[in-house]
Amino acid sequence: MTRLLAGQDIAHQIEQKYPEAVVDAQPEFAMVKADKLIDVCTFLRDGDLDFKFLNSLTAVDRLDAFEIVYHMTSISLNQMGSIKISTSEREKPVFPSVTSVWPGAHLQEREAYDLMGIVFEGHPDLRRIFLWEGFAGWPLRKDYLNMPGHMAGLERFPGEPGKKLEGRGNVDA
Amino acid sequence: MTLKSEPYVINVGPQHPSTHGVFRLRLTMDGEKIIDAEMIIGYLHRSMEKLAEERTYTQNIPFTDRTDYLAAMTGNLAYVMAVEKMMEIDVPERADWLRTIMAELQRFASHCMAVGTFANDCGTWQTPVMHMIRDREKILDLFEMACGARLTTNYMRIGGVSRDIPPEFLPALAVLLKDLPKRVKEYEDLLLNNEIIIARSRGIAKLTPEEAIAYSLSGPMLRGSGVAWDLRKADPYAAYDKVEFDIAVGTNGDAYDRFAVRMAEMLQSLRILEQCADMITEGPIHARMSTSTVQPVGDPVAPLVIRPPEGEAYARIESPRGELGFYIVSDGGIAPYRFHIRAPSFINLTPLKKMTVGATIADAVVVLGSVDIVVGEVDR
């Protein structure tokens, strides 16, 4: 059975090497500072945790922030963990690219750029991948083509929680 | 005297039999040699991740059929496992057995297509694949018996499976399990030492174990490079912890080894199925859910609308093509807030340029065949 490392455990390991790098630790993930990302990822890959295999890289639009989620596995130790980075920048969110640490991130970062509009600095070939060059907007963002006053996603049942959107969305981006 | 040659561009696809779907490859050539390769994808992009945010959790199950359309059952399984993980549902034992049976039948059917079309790409034109489609057909008949559909099965449900198997299913499976090992033996005799296949695929697109791990490869691509990593063993789900099987690994990490791993996995799937047919238990096929999560339509068994608590979950399984993962974020509503598919076909294409540059154009077709992509899963 793969051991699921809690975010606090990962945060503890990172803090021993980079004391300032961790922002938050939850059971599911450890949130790290974006400018320390490459150092932290290199440490996670080569350090005791041995996260040599990047399972998945994806972006989440939280409306007040963009998050990038990394799931990593150690094949030799059979354990798994997750880290996140986050920014409140909406117009042009920029994160460092981890392709130098895990080459397997190459296509996944292109996907996150294409659909969510996340710019990965240092990526060797950051272009649209599913959509064509010149496509207007970033379709996986919650405010894509949404009308003011409407909520993102499924039209909710009465009284259901959810954040209302402001503005016309990001088609002109 | 050497002749000066200009580089030129060859366009492969998007409509081409060797690209296994609408997949385009733009090759820059120097004579017969590839000096640059670029893949152009997105022709089958249906924006499933966006669509899924506007449908309830149960309504999203059919999408998972249509990502990897050669392995719908495993797509269903990975998705429902992610939601179950978020809601902490314990699936009844019989449902676990049924899931294992369906997933292994699907793996056999999918590997039939993978191996058959790979033999096609190598030049053993159409004969092996036609034999394998015959066997795959019988498995699809079993799926039809269990859930009424052959390709897009929509069989798994959050908390169990949609319906129990009919009484004639297990006898039919027993007949098939008598027949198929002989067939696989035939294929092994026909293909494993086949001169055409060895000449075309030995030493092509070699990847070392370190490279395979660094490129996030999974499934037969990773095991072909000699890494014995199979999620059915490493992180057992459904009933895989109760059955015995071996992990097939390659030694050279070339196209031939990936093909040989798939052939070996077909036999292992039959071995798992035999154990499942013996050990399957009677009982409920669906978990009862707590009523607080199934409002406002309140059938605790197979509810239409469910409401996982706020949070996130990543669940992964070993699909025929590799690690199929679903990352789902819930905001407490009836539809996923974020629905991400970690598609093995897509990520297995990452080292495509590395594998093709320096080879000839005929090798590029073999390389693509050895990756075994399903474009529905690449583009989603």
Side-chain angles (χ1 to χ4, degrees), chain B residues 169-190:
Chain B
F169 183 93
L170 285 176
L173 179 65
V175 172
L176 200 59
L177 286 178
K178 244 194 203 97
D179 194 31
L180 285 180
K182 280 182 267 174
R183 295 258 186 259
V184 177
K185 184 79 183 48
E186 266 176 33
Y187 302 148
E188 286 182 344
D189 291 346
L190 177 67

Side-chain angles (χ1 to χ4, degrees), chain B residues 187-315:
Chain B
Y187 302 148
E188 286 182 344
D189 291 346
L190 177 67
L191 296 175
L192 274 183
N193 293 315
N194 188 314
E195 205 180 323
I196 303 174
I197 289 186
I198 289 177
R200 289 293 308 281
S201 64
R202 270 263 189 241
I204 303 291
K206 270 193 183 181
L207 290 174
T208 63
E210 293 77 28
E211 281 170 344
I213 291 173
Y215 278 114
S216 295
L217 303 186
S218 52
M221 290 276 289
L222 183 63
R223 292 191 285 277
S225 288
V227 184
W229 178 254
D230 189 321
L231 291 174
R232 292 174 292 171
K233 273 255 197 282
D235 194 8
Y237 51 92
Y240 283 108
D241 50 345
K242 303 187 187 91
V243 294
E244 278 179 22
F245 63 100
D246 298 323
I247 303 177
V249 285
T251 45
N252 298 324
D254 53 10
Y256 178 85
D257 275 4
R258 289 169 209 143
F259 150 77
V261 163
R262 289 192 184 99
M263 288 292 273
E265 279 183 8
M266 283 163 84
L267 270 185
Q268 296 300 328
S269 286
L270 296 178
R271 202 173 139 196
I272 296 173
L273 281 169
E274 265 165 23
Q275 298 172 49
C276 289
D278 284 345
M279 290 156 78
I280 186 169
T281 51
E282 294 294 322
I285 55 158
H286 206 290
R288 287 186 75 83
M289 294 185 192
S290 98
T291 40
S292 65
T293 58
V294 296
Q295 291 164 349
V297 187
D299 179 6
V301 175
L304 292 174
V305 176
I306 57 164
R307 219 181 265 274
E310 211 173 315
E312 57 182 63
Y314 177 79

Side-chain angles (χ1 to χ4, degrees), chain B residues 156-174:
Chain B
M156 316 280 176
R157 288 289 181 277
I158 294 152
V161 295
S162 66
R163 63 199 80 183
D164 208 340
I165 47 175
E168 59 269 26
F169 183 93
L170 285 176
L173 179 65

Side-chain angles (χ1 to χ4, degrees), chain A residues 55 59 61 84 142 160, chain B residues 307 312 323 337-338 342:
Chain A
N55 292 78
D61 180 4
K84 280 186 183 180
K142 286 285 174 187
E160 185 149 39
Chain B
R307 219 181 265 274
E312 57 182 63
E323 177 181 330
Y337 185 79
R338 176 85 171 90
R342 187 256 189 234

Side-chain angles (χ1 to χ4, degrees), chain A residues 7-158:
Chain A
Q8 289 91 340
D9 295 345
I10 298 172
H12 181 69
Q13 292 267 354
I14 296 171
E15 269 168 348
Q16 288 185 342
K17 177 99 179 180
Y18 299 105
E20 304 281 287
V22 180
V23 184
D24 183 21
Q26 299 288 330
E28 291 95 1
F29 60 87
M31 180 82 81
V32 299
K33 274 188 190 153
D35 53 346
K36 286 267 194 288
L37 181 72
I38 298 295
D39 289 342
V40 168
C41 287
T42 313
F43 167 69
L44 290 177
R45 184 191 64 178
D46 299 332
D48 289 343
L49 291 173
D50 189 47
F51 285 142
K52 293 213 163 30
F53 186 88
L54 176 72
N55 292 78
S56 152
L57 183 164
T58 191
V60 182
D61 180 4
R62 298 270 185 189
L63 281 174
D64 50 358
F66 281 109
E67 280 175 359
I68 312 287
V69 190
Y70 303 84
H71 287 91
M72 306 147 299
T73 295
S74 161
I75 286 182
S76 57
L77 303 174
N78 200 1
Q79 59 187 13
M80 195 177 169
S82 172
I83 60 167
K84 280 186 183 180
I85 49 176
S86 163
T87 180
S88 54
E89 164 71 38
R90 261 213 95 75
E91 284 301 309
K92 195 186 176 200
V94 181
F95 290 110
S97 162
V98 295
T99 44
S100 57
V101 186
W102 295 294
H106 186 109
L107 289 180
Q108 304 184 65
E109 285 186 351
R110 271 184 76 182
E111 183 190 349
Y113 168 73
D114 186 9
L115 301 178
M116 202 75 97
I118 314 282
V119 177
F120 290 96
E121 241 167 21
H123 189 285
D125 186 22
L126 196 67
R127 285 177 294 133
R128 293 251 187 206
I129 184 162
F130 298 132
L131 308 170
W132 54 95
E133 292 295 334
F135 187 92
W138 314 105
L140 261 187
R141 287 193 186 178
K142 286 285 174 187
D143 57 1
Y144 177 70
L145 286 184
N146 256 81
M147 299 302 283
H150 279 246
M151 273 183 265
L154 185 68
E155 199 54 46
R156 304 296 168 118
F157 285 102

Side-chain angles (χ1 to χ4, degrees), chain B residues 47-108:
Chain B
S47 70
M48 280 187 184
E49 293 183 3
K50 185 77 177 177
L51 286 171
E53 288 171 7
E54 309 198 353
R55 273 150 188 79
T56 64
Y57 284 91
T58 310
Q59 282 173 336
N60 279 330
I61 299 173
F63 281 140
T64 62
D65 298 331
R66 286 153 179 81
T67 49
D68 183 349
Y69 42 71
L70 286 181
M73 287 287 188
T74 48
N76 291 174
L77 179 54
Y79 169 64
V80 298
M81 273 174 57
V83 183
E84 281 160 8
K85 196 171 171 184
M86 200 147 52
M87 297 178 70
E88 293 171 355
I89 298 172
D90 280 327
V91 179
E93 204 183 338
R94 185 173 174 83
D96 267 346
W97 283 114
L98 290 175
R99 287 175 173 193
T100 314
I101 289 177
M102 296 307 168
E104 284 312 307
L105 283 171
Q106 187 74 80
R107 185 182 320 277
F108 189 93

